[in-house]
Amino acid sequence: MTIDGGANDLGNADLMPTAAADRTWRWYHFAALWIGMVISIPAYMLAAGLIDQGMTPLQAIATILLGNMIVLVPMLLIGHAGARYGIPYAVLLRCAFGTIGARVPALARALVACGWYGIQTWVGGNTLLALVVVLTGWRSDGVTLPLIGIDLAHFLSFAAFWLIQLAFVSKGLEMVRKLETWTAPIKIAICIGLFVWAMRHLGGLSPLFSAAPGRNASGAAVDFSAIFWPSLTAMVGFWATLALNIPDFTRFARSQRDQFLGQSIGLPAPMALLAVVAVVATAATRIVFGRAIWDPVELAGNLPSAGVLIGLLVISIDTVSCNIAANLVGPAYDFAAIAPRRIDYRRGALITAVLAAAILPWKLIESSGGYIFTWLVGYSALLGPIAGILITDYWVIRRTRIAVEDLYRHDGRYGYRGGWNPAAVAATVVGIAPNLPGFLATALPARFGGMPAILIAPYPYAWFVGAAVASLVYYGAMRGAGRAAAAIPDHGG
């Protein structure tokens, strides 16, 4: 098989299939990668968001566990292609969307990742600011800067953390693997220590069982069934970006077993256990500090001096490792695939970092409702159809058989009509459509809040509805066009 991606606008060194010598990731590297990404501030605060909306601690933990067990399925299915053919997500898209059409879903996923990269950078900046306060006693005057909506201290700390992360970008993806492998044991140890600290003050797990259900943070009665489905969709949406670009990592796997076992160990259980730690630790803060502290940065800032320094330093390391792995690698490849001749992995990473700052990420997480029901559920409505199309294309239409050399040729079998596959375009549009009214009503209630209930009914199930509808439409269109993989030889793997 000969591939000359450099002869056109479809390839560069970062987008070529991974060489055998570079397939060095074993199952424990994938487990460490996921543990490193799971043990993060936004993940820790998920339980807080769900309880804030009216769930009990047990309901919140169960919802988080179920959501991550569900999202593991597309992770493994889409990750299979990366491990088998050594191609990144942006190249895999060409099978279904066409050599040019693939740039649209790649860009959509990249822009969502920019939002997440900005959120994590904001968290890291707050951690730096807390360190400065602890070490120097300096406090901001709190005067909000025009346009950006935060004070000077928060802006400078955000900028500083933004620059710190760029130092790791130049080291490439191998540094990501090493960083996650090194930091995963430290993060586990910190979670254990936090759990032990909490249990010393609580004397048991009673906070998990004693909370009265049905009340949100404002004291209003809440029907569990009304918040469960959008919350479950949000939990799937939390990792929906990684469910798409997981081939960016599995392309370095030594075998399918390594990516399957490592992801299965590293994602669902640690995510649920982190929620347990968050709930128990927060219950302990009510006893120790007289109020509930859900933000781990604020919690670290309230510990004794040695604990403050250790806690904030660990949070800083955690945020860097998680942010680069979860939110920088994927969009870097995606931006590179849009213009391979001018953008490589490092330039794509820089574009991601710049856009992440430009969107003012602190505005995305101003409230738990906005964070969960607008941000998480909203973008899952966009990414669900892409996941459904990818899985159907790879597993059902092509039966895992891809002519890899044609992924780098406009005149190959994935060129379709001028580089666009009409079936994928139509399936994406139809998959997004049912959830659009609900998103508008949630994001802009003043303008669209009066929509009929029947139009907004699918939105709580956005990822599932989008994936199912797009999958069915795509399958029907492709079978109707007579496209299948019977003529493609099975290369094994």
Side-chain angles (χ1 to χ4, degrees):
M1 178 176 65
T2 301
I3 300 175
D4 185 13
N8 53 42
D9 62 347
L10 291 178
N12 58 32
D14 295 317
L15 299 176
M16 290 295 103
T18 308
D22 295 324
R23 294 185 175 226
T24 58
W25 290 41
R26 303 300 298 267
W27 68 267
Y28 46 83
H29 292 129
F30 286 101
L33 174 76
W34 272 112
I35 291 172
M37 292 191 291
V38 162
I39 302 178
S40 63
I41 308 304
Y44 182 102
M45 295 175 69
L46 274 180
L50 294 181
I51 292 174
D52 191 47
Q53 292 301 311
M55 287 191 181
T56 68
L58 276 181
Q59 289 171 342
I61 293 167
T63 302
I64 291 171
L65 176 60
L66 179 58
N68 282 273
M69 291 178 65
I70 291 172
V71 82
L72 178 64
V73 176
M75 289 277 186
L76 297 175
L77 294 178
I78 296 175
H80 185 281
R84 184 171 192 178
Y85 296 104
I87 53 176
Y89 159 73
V91 173
L92 175 63
L93 282 170
R94 296 170 186 171
C95 292
F97 288 85
T99 51
I100 295 178
R103 296 170 184 173
V104 175
L107 181 61
R109 186 262 177 265
L111 292 177
V112 171
C114 289
W116 270 120
Y117 189 83
I119 289 172
Q120 289 275 38
T121 303
W122 169 248
V123 170
N126 284 342
T127 306
L128 284 185
L129 182 59
L131 268 174
V132 171
V133 171
V134 168
L135 295 175
T136 68
W138 174 80
R139 297 277 179 178
S140 168
D141 58 13
V143 177
T144 301
L145 296 174
L147 300 179
I148 63 175
I150 55 175
D151 61 36
L152 180 61
H154 282 90
F155 176 75
L156 291 177
S157 60
F158 175 83
F161 199 81
W162 186 90
L163 290 171
I164 289 171
Q165 292 177 123
L166 286 186
F168 290 90
V169 172
S170 61
K171 304 300 182 181
L173 193 58
E174 183 62 16
M175 176 54 70
V176 174
R177 180 182 70 83
K178 292 179 179 179
L179 190 64
E180 294 293 356
T181 302
W182 295 338
T183 59
I186 299 175
K187 294 177 182 180
I188 293 173
I190 291 297
C191 284
I192 293 174
L194 185 59
F195 184 81
V196 171
W197 171 84
M199 292 299 292
R200 285 178 56 194
H201 293 282
L202 290 175
L205 293 175
S206 58
L208 292 178
F209 302 96
S210 60
R215 298 280 176 183
N216 61 20
S218 302
V222 175
D223 180 8
F224 173 71
S225 62
I227 61 173
F228 170 72
W229 283 108
S231 298
L232 181 65
T233 301
M235 295 310 101
V236 175
F238 189 82
W239 293 119
T241 52
L242 266 293
L244 291 179
N245 80 282
I246 194 64
D248 296 341
F249 299 98
T250 60
R251 63 191 298 227
F252 297 98
R254 292 191 63 176
S255 68
Q256 290 290 354
R257 177 182 178 275
D258 285 307
Q259 73 99 3
F260 183 92
L261 183 61
Q263 292 202 81
S264 300
I265 292 174
L267 176 56
M271 194 79 177
L273 290 175
L274 181 67
V276 172
V277 172
V279 168
V280 173
T282 303
T285 62
R286 289 193 179 97
I287 296 175
V288 178
F289 304 111
R291 61 189 177 89
I293 302 177
W294 277 105
D295 185 347
V297 176
E298 183 183 355
L299 173 58
N302 281 278
L303 295 174
S305 56
V308 170
L309 292 176
I310 294 173
L312 293 177
L313 285 172
V314 168
I315 289 172
S316 298
I317 295 171
D318 161 71
T319 304
V320 170
S321 63
C322 174
N323 207 19
I324 292 175
N327 306 313
L328 191 73
V329 173
Y333 280 125
D334 296 339
F335 286 125
I338 293 172
R341 288 179 176 175
R342 293 182 294 275
I343 303 175
D344 58 9
Y345 171 81
R346 288 176 175 81
R347 289 179 179 174
L350 181 59
I351 292 172
T352 301
V354 171
L355 290 177
I359 64 175
L360 308 181
W362 43 89
K363 293 185 178 295
L364 295 175
I365 53 174
E366 285 181 326
S367 69
S368 63
Y371 175 46
I372 293 175
F373 301 129
T374 302
W375 171 241
L376 292 178
V377 179
Y379 77 66
S380 75
L382 173 65
L383 302 187
I386 299 173
I389 291 170
L390 274 183
I391 293 171
T392 302
D393 181 80
Y394 181 69
W395 286 95
V396 181
I397 300 297
R398 306 193 189 283
R399 300 174 187 174
T400 74
R401 298 183 182 185
I402 296 175
V404 177
E405 62 275 13
D406 280 1
L407 294 172
Y408 301 87
R409 297 171 47 199
H410 285 298
D411 60 349
R413 70 184 69 219
Y414 309 118
Y416 296 105
R417 298 180 184 176
W420 295 80
N421 182 6
V425 174
T428 303
V429 172
V430 176
I432 293 173
N435 296 308
L436 186 58
F439 172 75
L440 293 175
T442 303
L444 302 169
R447 186 170 182 180
F448 297 99
M451 284 191 181
I454 192 172
L455 292 181
I456 63 176
Y459 186 67
Y461 321 93
W463 190 92
F464 303 97
V465 171
V469 171
S471 177
L472 291 172
V473 172
Y474 182 75
Y475 176 79
M478 290 293 283
R479 295 301 294 183
R483 296 185 180 276
I488 300 176
D490 186 352
H491 296 292

